[in-house]
Amino acid sequence: METTRTLGRSGIEVSALGFGCWAIGGEWQGTDGQPLGWGRVDDEESVRAVRRALDLGVTFFDTADTYGAGHSERVLGRALGKRRADVVVATKWGNVFDEDTRTRTGGDASPAYLRRALTASLDRLGTDYVDLYQFHLSDEDTEQAAQLRDACEELVREGLIRAYAWSTDDPARAAVFAEGPHCAAVQHTLNVLQDAPAMIRLCEEAGLASINRSPLAMGLLTGKRRARQPLEAGDIRSRPPAWLQGFGDGSGADPEWLARIDAVRDVLTSEGRTLGQGALAWLWARSPRTIPIPGFRSVPQAEENAAALEKGALTDAQLTEVDRLLGR
C-alpha cells in the first residue's frame, strides 16, 4: 500500500493516516454542561505525541477551532513549531465558543463569521495559512452552504487557505460544496461498524478525499473498552449526545457493538495487527480515497496508530469476509 494519499483534487499529498486532534483539546462543554471533550489531558504529552507522529511519517493533522474551545489549535501550533511547512493542517469553523470558560455557545454560518473564525484560528495555530478549512455545522441548509463555498473560494484566491471541505454525513450536502473547484474533501463518519457507501461513491465520483472521523468508533475498535465500563465525568462518551452511537445510555460501551467487534476480531488482527490497526487497515481497503484520522492522547497511542501504515490495507477477500461476518 502507498503510505501517502492525495487530498482529493487539490493535489496536496498527505500521509495515508492523519491524526485527529479533538482529544488533545482537553475538557470543554456545552452551555448545558454536556461534556464535549474526551476528559483530562496533559499538554506536554500531547506535544510529545504530535512530534513523535511527525518522526514516524504522519504529515496530516486535523483539528477544529472549537476543540477545547481553542485549546487544541494552540497545542497543535506549539507542537508543530518550525515544522509547520512539513505538514498539512486541517481545521474547522462554524461553532461559536468562549475560550475563557471553555464553553461552546452556539453556531454561526455567516460568511462574515467565516472570515473572523479563520483569522482567530491562524493566530492560535501560529501560521499564516490553513491547508484544508472545513465547515463544522453538519446539518446547515444548502443555500447557506453555497454562500460559504463561494466565500471559501475567495479565501483560496487570497492565499489564506489552500482547499476546503464540509464535515457532514449527508452526501447531498457534501455535493453542494463539491461544486466548488477548490473543494478537496468531505469529512464523515466511517469505520468497520459504520459503513457509508453513498458518501464513498460521492467521493469517488467527485474526486474528493474521504476523511474518516471516528475511524476507531470512538475508541470501541481499540479493544480497550469493556461492556458497561464507566467513563470519567469529563468524557463525552459518559453522557453521549444523540449522534454518538455505541455507548448507549452512557453507562459504558454498548454490548451489542462489542459483540459485532468480536465477530470480526480475527480478520482485523491478522498479520500481527492490533485491533485498532486492523480497523485502520479496513478503511484503507475500503477505497483509495480514504484518510482515517484516529485521535490520540499519548505517545504510545501515536506510535500504535502510526505503525498501522507499515502493515498496510486489508485484502479484498478480507473486506468481503468482514461484510459477511457483519451480515452486510
Side-chain angles (χ1 to χ4, degrees):
M1 182 189 99
E2 289 289 316
T3 54
T4 59
R5 292 196 163 181
T6 306
L7 268 184
R9 50 202 182 197
S10 69
I12 299 169
E13 193 176 271
V14 295
S15 49
L17 178 74
F19 268 35
C21 301
W22 179 8
I24 65 169
E27 294 184 271
W28 53 297
Q29 68 273 321
T31 48
D32 58 354
Q34 160 80 50
L36 295 174
W38 288 65
R40 288 184 299 266
V41 76
D42 172 351
D43 291 346
E44 297 313 313
E45 180 69 2
S46 300
V47 167
R48 283 191 292 270
V50 168
R51 291 177 179 164
R52 182 72 181 124
L54 285 170
D55 292 340
L56 294 170
V58 175
T59 61
F60 182 49
F61 294 87
D62 174 88
T63 185
D65 57 2
T66 195
Y67 294 163
H71 192 66
S72 175
E73 287 185 329
R74 292 187 188 284
V75 170
L76 179 62
R78 177 156 75 90
L80 295 176
K82 293 187 169 62
R83 297 173 75 175
R84 164 67 183 102
D86 304 336
V87 301
V88 173
V89 172
T91 192
K92 309 180 194 76
W93 91 93
N95 288 292
V96 181
F97 53 90
D98 182 327
E99 269 203 66
D100 294 335
T101 61
R102 290 199 167 206
T103 306
R104 180 193 178 273
T105 54
D108 189 336
S110 68
Y113 181 68
L114 157 63
R115 191 171 280 272
R116 287 206 307 279
L118 176 60
T119 302
S121 282
L122 292 172
D123 182 55
R124 283 188 293 265
L125 286 161
T127 185
D128 51 10
Y129 67 99
V130 164
D131 298 281
L132 184 70
Y133 203 35
Q134 302 162 107
F135 183 40
H136 209 172
L137 303 180
S138 59
D139 49 6
E140 188 55 52
D141 78 67
T142 50
E143 274 180 45
Q144 188 63 29
Q147 287 185 23
L148 293 171
R149 176 197 66 211
D150 296 344
C152 281
E153 286 291 335
E154 179 56 37
L155 294 171
V156 172
R157 280 192 290 277
E158 293 176 36
L160 293 171
I161 66 174
R162 293 172 73 193
Y164 57 88
W166 194 344
S167 178
T168 178
D169 288 325
D170 177 13
R173 283 185 165 85
V176 172
F177 257 42
E179 288 169 25
H182 292 90
C183 177
V186 56
Q187 182 169 140
H188 64 98
T189 301
L190 185 69
N191 59 58
V192 176
L193 304 178
Q194 297 169 288
D195 198 5
M199 193 66 94
I200 292 288
R201 195 160 52 247
L202 171 76
C203 290
E204 290 177 348
E205 287 169 2
L208 302 177
S210 155
I211 298 173
N212 313 134
R213 80 169 101 82
S214 294
L216 302 177
M218 301 293 281
L220 291 178
L221 284 161
T222 61
K224 292 169 187 141
R225 289 262 144 231
R226 297 187 303 281
R228 305 294 177 217
Q229 178 187 5
L231 292 130
E232 66 172 291
D235 189 318
I236 189 169
R237 297 169 296 180
S238 69
R239 278 177 59 189
W243 58 265
L244 202 170
Q245 296 180 295
F247 287 88
D249 54 7
S251 63
D254 189 325
E256 208 174 290
W257 282 58
L258 293 177
R260 289 162 65 204
I261 292 167
D262 279 338
V264 295
R265 187 181 299 269
D266 286 351
V267 182
L268 297 183
T269 56
S270 60
E271 284 92 51
R273 294 180 176 95
T274 64
L275 184 65
Q277 289 168 347
L280 297 172
W282 180 87
L283 286 161
W284 289 317
R286 181 66 184 80
S287 164
R289 301 247 158 217
T290 56
I291 303 167
I293 49 167
F296 65 99
R297 276 193 280 188
S298 68
V299 170
Q301 285 174 336
E303 289 173 338
E304 183 184 334
N305 289 341
L309 279 168
E310 297 157 35
K311 296 188 163 61
L314 294 183
T315 63
D316 288 346
Q318 287 172 318
L319 208 57
T320 306
E321 178 67 358
V322 166
D323 279 341
R324 186 188 69 76
L325 291 165
L326 292 175
R328 290 203 287 245

